[in-house]
Amino acid sequence: MNLNNCNKTIKEFTRLIEGKIYNPFEGELKIGVDLGTANIAISVVDSNNRPIAGEIYPSSVVKDGVVVDYMGATKIVRELKLILEERLSTQLNYAATAIPPGIMKENMKVMANVIEAADMDVINIVDEPTAASTVLNITEGAIVDIGGGTTGISIIKNGNVVFTGDEATGGHHMTLVLSGFNGVSIEKAEGYKKDKTKEKEVFSIIRPVVEKMASIVSGYIKGYDVSEIYLVGGSTTFMDFEKVFEKELGIKVYKPYNPLLVTPLGIAMNCISNR
Ligand SMILES: Nc1ncnc2c1ncn2[C@@H]1O[C@H](COP(=O)(O)OP(=O)(O)OP(=O)(O)O)[C@@H](O)[C@H]1O
Ligand SMILES: [Mg+2]
């Protein structure tokens, strides 16, 4: 498996987000809104799925696919939309969004309502693994998405999702472990966790959490013929993360560049009307 093309696209998207810049574009844009537990993101690509612009904002208005602060979520989506509209000098009136595997129908409706309340028509709702698989350009294997709140897994065969599962162990648990270990506040521990200069020391403390995540995945893939695992989600950012998974699972594990942005980018790529 060669992730070169996919990595190039994610790198470009990262550059646009970090620089708060955009790529010149022509024609219709495709827009994606990701309402995550840790981050809300809006991604914009063109009809060829070339990244055009994006904004990401840390938030706690959604918990594991359930909107817990409707007004707060709407406000953030509205603000991110305005920032991007100004940057691109165009209106962003429609979007696709995504739901974690296993989410209830009612919650799906609330997610769509948040986006519609921010003046965007929701033209497509995809499941998160499908969004990620579009960026990765894969039709076989398991996608493991480790975000703030959950470890989600989807097994894909012949381009179809044949199994999904999730468990409430995510990046927040790593933060809790670090907070307890060092006797510091959760906010401090969150900063410590993301401090690149402390990565080795941090990873040695949270390693058991990563091993637990791998054992969750191991339980789920039993009985399926999975030969490749793809890691996405912000919590897989650690350099040695995939090594722990490979050791625990004995399966080839791939991680794209900046796994945090894979699902948000893939949602925009799936902004195709399903009506
Ligand atoms: N550089 C980093 N190193 C370690 N962890 C990181 C880093 N950047 C982000 N994270 C963690 O990744 C998590 C957020 O990832 P992501 O944006 O994929 O989650 P989400 O989609 O909002 O949540 P979920 O999918 O659970 O609803 C947070 O727990 C955050 O602390
Ligand atoms: Mg997510």
Side-chain angles (χ1 to χ4, degrees), residues 34-40 56 59 62-65 100 128 145-151 170-175 190 193-196 232-238 259-261 263-264:
D34 184 6
L35 299 174
T37 302
N39 293 297
I40 291 188
I56 183 160
S59 80
V62 178
K63 290 255 176 303
D64 308 337
E128 288 178 350
D145 183 348
I146 308 179
T150 47
T151 293
H172 185 60
H173 298 82
M174 296 173 173
T175 306
E190 177 73 15
K193 181 177 79 172
K194 295 185 192 163
D195 182 348
K196 269 267 162 246
V232 301
S235 297
T236 68
T237 304
F238 299 99
L260 176 88
L261 290 180
T263 302

Side-chain angles (χ1 to χ4, degrees), residues 144 146 150-153 163 165-170 209-222 245 248-249:
V144 175
I146 308 179
T150 47
T151 293
I153 173 162
F163 171 83
D166 56 67
E167 195 164 302
T169 308
V209 183
V210 181
E211 285 167 352
K212 157 109 193 282
M213 289 163 170
S215 83
I216 292 170
V217 170
S218 164
Y220 281 134
I221 61 175
K222 260 195 196 108
F245 260 60
E248 294 289 313
L249 297 167

Side-chain angles (χ1 to χ4, degrees), residues 225-237:
D225 182 24
V226 173
S227 53
E228 288 173 351
I229 289 184
Y230 297 87
L231 294 175
V232 301
S235 297
T236 68
T237 304

Side-chain angles (χ1 to χ4, degrees), residues 64-132:
D64 308 337
V66 178
V67 177
V68 291
D69 175 2
Y70 186 89
M71 297 302 282
T74 301
K75 187 164 173 276
I76 294 169
V77 175
R78 198 185 280 272
E79 277 167 13
L80 297 182
K81 172 183 184 270
L82 281 174
I83 291 170
L84 286 169
E85 285 181 337
E86 199 154 291
R87 189 172 304 153
L88 296 170
S89 304
T90 191
Q91 294 215 312
L92 307 174
N93 295 330
Y94 54 89
T97 190
I99 46 164
I103 191 176
M104 315 276 281
K105 274 243 150 36
E106 305 81 71
N107 296 329
M108 189 164 122
K109 186 114 196 33
V110 179
M111 283 203 156
N113 285 346
V114 165
I115 298 166
E116 305 248 338
D119 296 327
M120 297 172 111
D121 278 341
V122 176
I123 63 166
N124 196 11
I125 303 179
V126 288
D127 58 288
E128 288 178 350
T130 301

